[in-house]
């Protein structure tokens, strides 16, 4: 299968935005795991005085998690899908949260940064050039700024691949088919199988100039399937 990319993927998310929250709500622990990953940024003082970026915010579930982890921070949330942003904006938000219709590749450090921390949930599998996006993130962060990536990234065991395929074929793709979004959820299945293992993505972070990169597991059925990656921006070279 050819993975969806760029405009095709954004359009698929536009269409799926109508039912996205309902389907993700069927995933046990979906929102609790996002909050766990956001808290792994370890932001002090409830985020007071900090500028945070939610990169690939979708319908706002990751933004809500970041807001709960740092309720006093200023949060900028961006996404390439107009449909997903429309759903996010329809929800109630405090004045310290703003949303922008931008792809990860379109962010410019001079115009939008610097940020004290970046949170990116379910993003890096879906960009054409993850290394380029990591370079952009590093430019957007202050030196020493923190990054947390919440991502489907398999642990490397054949059992993890088998479980992911079973869940996709038995639950995710049939549910997506009922909503008319089969192509997007088949993309989800294959994008995870094709993406970095947890060890590989940790190495990718290090090569991009981040320090202290670690992959932290999440509990429940997603153990070995979903990880939080934490790292810090090194000094610019």
């Amino acid at each position: 299968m050819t993975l969806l990319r760029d405009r095709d993927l954004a359009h698929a998310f536009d269409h799926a935005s109508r039912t996205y929250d309902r389907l993700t709500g069927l995933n046990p622990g979906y929102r609790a795991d996002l909050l766990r990953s956001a808290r792994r940024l370890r932001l002090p003082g409830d985020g007071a005085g900090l500028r945070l970026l939610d990169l690939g915010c979708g319908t706002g579930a990751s933004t809500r998690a970041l807001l709960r982890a740092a309720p006093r921070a200023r949060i900028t949330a961006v996404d390439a899908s107009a449909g997903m942003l429309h759903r996010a904006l329809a929800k109630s938000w405090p004045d310290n949260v703003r949303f922008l219709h931008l792809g990860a590749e379109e962010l410019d450090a001079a115009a939008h940064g610097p940020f004290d921390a970046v949170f990116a949930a379910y993003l890096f599998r879906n960009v054409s050039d993850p290394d380029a996006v990591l370079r952009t993130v590093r430019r957007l962060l202050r030196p020493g700024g923190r990054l947390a990536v919440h991502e489907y990234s398999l642990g490397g065991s054949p059992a993890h691949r088998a479980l992911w395929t079973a869940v996709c074929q038995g639950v995710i793709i049939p549910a997506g088919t009922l909503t008319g979004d089969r192509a997007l959820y088949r993309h989800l299945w294959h994008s995870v199988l094709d993406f970095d293992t947890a060890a590989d993505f940790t190495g990718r972070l290090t090569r991009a100039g981040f320090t202290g990169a670690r992959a932290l597991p999440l509990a429940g059925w997603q153990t070995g399937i979903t990880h939080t990656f934490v790292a810090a921006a090194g000094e610019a070279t």
Side-chain angles (χ1 to χ4, degrees):
M1 172 190 172
T2 301
L3 296 177
L4 300 174
R5 290 300 184 205
D6 304 323
R7 289 185 179 179
D8 289 338
L9 183 57
H11 290 159
F13 274 117
D14 288 345
H15 189 271
S17 64
R18 302 165 299 115
T19 57
Y20 191 82
D21 284 342
R22 193 185 320 153
L23 289 183
T24 57
L26 298 175
N27 180 350
Y30 181 86
R31 287 170 178 77
D33 284 344
L34 283 171
L35 178 57
R36 185 171 291 109
S37 289
R39 285 176 170 163
R40 284 171 169 171
L41 282 166
R42 299 189 180 279
L43 300 172
D46 287 338
L50 301 181
R51 296 189 65 215
L52 312 181
L53 174 65
D54 182 17
L55 190 56
C57 64
T59 61
S62 56
T63 315
R64 189 73 65 189
L66 194 56
L67 182 62
R68 288 185 63 188
R72 299 175 65 191
R74 288 180 292 160
I75 299 172
T76 299
V78 304
D79 201 275
S81 165
M84 300 291 268
L85 273 182
H86 177 75
R87 299 289 167 177
L89 286 165
K91 300 170 183 176
S92 177
W93 300 98
D95 291 341
N96 57 321
V97 178
R98 66 167 182 159
F99 291 88
L100 298 175
H101 183 204
L102 287 171
E105 300 88 345
E106 299 174 279
L107 285 163
D108 178 80
H112 303 104
F115 293 96
D116 298 286
V118 173
F119 187 45
Y122 304 118
L123 171 76
F124 279 95
R125 289 174 296 103
N126 290 323
V127 298
S128 299
D129 189 344
D131 291 323
V133 174
L134 282 172
R135 289 192 294 271
T136 297
V137 169
R138 189 178 171 215
R139 288 193 297 269
L140 287 165
L141 280 168
R142 300 182 189 278
R146 303 176 188 183
L147 170 65
V149 175
H150 178 97
E151 187 58 274
Y152 291 120
S153 181
L154 301 179
S157 164
H160 299 149
R161 295 179 66 87
L163 176 58
W164 175 247
T165 291
V167 169
C168 286
Q169 293 184 343
V171 179
I172 294 174
I173 294 172
T177 300
L178 290 175
T179 64
D181 298 302
R182 179 178 175 84
L184 177 62
Y185 291 101
R186 281 183 58 83
H187 162 86
L188 170 61
W189 172 31
H190 286 282
S191 69
V192 175
L193 295 179
D194 289 354
F195 189 59
D196 294 349
T197 65
D200 289 339
F201 190 71
T202 303
R204 190 188 291 271
L205 287 167
T206 300
R207 291 192 299 274
F210 290 89
T211 61
R214 293 184 295 150
L216 304 175
L218 291 159
W221 77 269
Q222 294 189 108
T223 301
I225 293 174
T226 309
H227 292 82
T228 314
F229 298 89
V230 292
E235 295 288 339
T237 58

